[in-house]
Amino acid sequence: SKSKMKKKTTKTQEAKKILKKKFKVNTKIVFTEDGELVQQWPPVQKSNLAKADEEDDASGINLDKAKEILQEEDKFDKEEYRKKVKEKHR
């Protein structure tokens, strides 16, 4: 009788199943009718350090390198914010 009863799957078990199948969750990509990329969430990292870091196969997290990457990404984010504010004022 115990083998017939199924246990409820928990959220963590479902998440592990999704990770095993390597689905990309929590992403949104919007295209035009021509097939051009309009919007992507989460935004792609633009810095060269981030691209170089993805290629490295070192294990663990290098805090110094991560800090440099975040500082470089902040430069791009600040520039985009300035553009938004200028458009808003126009």
Side-chain angles (χ1 to χ4, degrees):
S1 63
K2 288 186 179 182
S3 62
K4 291 183 181 179
M5 293 178 56
K6 291 186 178 180
K7 291 185 178 180
K8 267 190 171 177
T9 57
T10 62
K11 290 182 181 180
T12 54
Q13 289 172 337
E14 291 174 4
K16 286 181 182 179
K17 282 183 186 179
I18 290 172
L19 287 174
K20 282 183 184 178
K21 294 181 182 180
K22 298 188 180 182
F23 286 131
K24 290 192 174 186
V25 294
N26 298 333
T27 58
K28 180 179 179 181
I29 301 174
V30 180
F31 293 98
T32 61
E33 291 181 9
D34 301 331
E36 296 177 19
L37 181 67
V38 176
Q39 182 182 6
Q40 183 173 1
W41 180 257
V44 178
Q45 291 183 332
K46 299 175 185 173
S47 67
N48 294 330
L49 288 174
K51 293 175 186 172
D53 188 44
E54 289 176 1
E55 294 172 1
D56 293 342
D57 293 334
S59 62
I61 298 172
N62 188 350
L63 293 177
D64 296 328
K65 201 173 217 182
K67 187 175 181 179
E68 290 175 18
I69 291 170
L70 288 176
Q71 287 174 346
E72 196 168 314
E73 286 295 318
D74 282 344
K75 292 176 186 176
F76 290 109
D77 292 340
K78 287 178 184 177
E79 186 64 33
E80 287 181 26
Y81 181 73
R82 282 190 207 115
K83 287 178 184 177
K84 281 185 180 180
V85 170
K86 285 182 181 180
E87 287 295 320
K88 186 178 179 182
H89 288 294
R90 287 184 189 170

